[in-house]
Amino acid sequence: MIKLHDKQFRPYLDEAAIQEAVKKIAQEVARDYKHEVPIFVGVLNGAFMFVSDFLKEYKHHCEVTFVKLSSYQGLTSTGIVETLLDISEDIEGRSVIILEDIIDTGRTLQQLVHLFSKSNVKEFKIASLFYKSEIYNGEYNIDYVGIEIPNSFIVGYGLDYKELGRNLREVYQLNQNNMINLVLFGKPGAGKGTQAGFLKEKYNLKHISTGDVFRYNMKNGTELGKLAQSYIDKGELVPDEVTIDMLKAEVEKSGDAEGFIFDGFPRTVAQAKALDNFLESKEMQVDATIALEADDDILVARLLERGKESGRSDDQDEAKIRNRFDEYNQKTAALKEYYNRQGKFHTVNGIGGISEITERLLTVIDEVLKVQG
Ligand code: AMP
């Protein structure tokens, strides 16, 4: 996911899909025009990348020029199309093929047709890399189409959102429904908390660490803290009812969140079921569960190291740490199967540099968003 100005955009078309569409158009045009020298007219600014790649794929003689029109401000078409740069080439008697990055309502196209209707061209054709057939209401037939896309706002590969995003090699789609809920999964010490810190920034999410909430309550001597203390001190799980109620309260507190990262929750199948039901009641869902994987011995070493700095009693004693692993194996590991059945379980190698692991997580999450897109 990327952020341009105030908006989030999710991956939509990768480079290969775009290049394939460009090549397809170039081949179709070549089939029709290889025996003459057509003039390609790129529509600025959005089409500059398409024109460039198109020409590289067009293997016959041709000329190229550009026009500049403008109708977008921000996310919506203003409906006013101005001609900012007129066609200068001598186009009389020539075949002209317009190269557009995207055709949506068809207003820009109408202006172009108008522009060329005054000239005496031999033939006038339109090629558009992207085409929103759902909302196109022009009369003119689009002669060559790369990819038909639904009516959502896209950026990248020449297309912008308030001038940003043109330099992206891929195409991204506006993330209309920002709500995304992730479960970070893994044994104690796997790096869930550290990684959640990065992910929440990247995706504008609220990070809920049940371990942190318990520790906060213990520190402040609340009823909940006192209740949890004995379990935590032994490296055992706090009972489900207590944990589930607490989790619900945390979610309720953050009504304005764009989504959540659940870190350390769920840890039992009962918790996972409760989470599913709770989210469903709010018309939300778990979008992905990502497990950070590492060997026990590496984790023990990490936790003992962490225990020195954090002072956490459950991180300082290898027996307690091993007990937490046992709890994980007995109660939490079953969640793999639970989320696997929903097609929502992903694993990431949790060994390596912190930023390296973040990259691995981002790859998985972006893939999930793309599929949902
Ligand atoms: P953590 O900081 O995630 O390692 O959690 C520290 C301790 O808090 C765990 O060992 C448990 O005793 C308790 N705890 C945290 N999350 C849960 C949960 N989802 N269910 C039960 N106990 C939990």
Side-chain angles (χ1 to χ4, degrees), residues 210-211 214-215 232 236 238 243 264-265 267 271 312 324:
T210 39
F214 282 133
R215 279 185 289 279
I232 292 182
E236 288 172 10
V238 178
T243 313
F265 188 96
R267 265 172 152 116
Q271 290 181 13
R312 272 177 63 171
R324 283 152 73 198

Side-chain angles (χ1 to χ4, degrees), residues 24 36 84 99 108 120 132 260 268-269 286 308 322 334 346 369:
K24 183 187 86 172
E36 56 182 300
L84 302 172
L99 298 181
T108 311
N120 233 337
K132 293 184 181 174
F260 295 89
T268 64
V269 172
V286 169
K308 284 186 208 158
R322 297 273 176 197
H346 310 265
L369 293 174

Side-chain angles (χ1 to χ4, degrees), residues 59-168:
K59 312 290 185 195
H60 309 275
H61 289 310
C62 62
E63 293 176 22
V64 64
T65 185
F66 292 89
V67 283
K68 183 162 177 154
L69 304 147
S70 157
S71 79
Y72 265 90
Q73 248 163 29
L75 297 175
T76 49
S77 188
T78 59
I80 304 154
V81 182
E82 279 178 275
T83 310
L84 302 172
L85 197 89
D86 232 329
I87 203 95
S88 52
E89 252 58 16
D90 184 9
I91 54 172
E92 210 181 300
R94 303 288 299 274
S95 291
V96 170
I97 294 136
I98 298 289
L99 298 181
E100 262 281 32
D101 44 337
I102 184 161
I103 289 177
D104 44 29
T105 61
R107 274 191 212 109
T108 311
L109 180 61
Q110 202 180 325
Q111 176 74 359
L112 278 167
V113 173
H114 178 70
L115 199 69
F116 284 92
S117 66
K118 289 182 272 178
S119 67
N120 233 337
V121 296
K122 178 180 160 204
E123 237 183 337
F124 176 74
K125 291 270 168 81
I126 307 282
S128 186
L129 178 57
F130 303 117
Y131 175 45
K132 293 184 181 174
S133 56
E134 272 172 38
I135 56 161
Y136 178 66
N137 56 21
E139 293 140 37
Y140 197 92
N141 181 43
I142 317 300
D143 305 284
Y144 306 96
V145 171
I147 304 176
E148 276 200 31
I149 60 166
N151 181 25
S152 64
F153 190 85
I154 59 171
V155 293
Y157 196 70
L159 288 92
D160 72 309
Y161 168 54
K162 294 188 190 167
E163 294 309 324
L164 294 186
R166 294 193 194 276
N167 56 329
L168 298 164

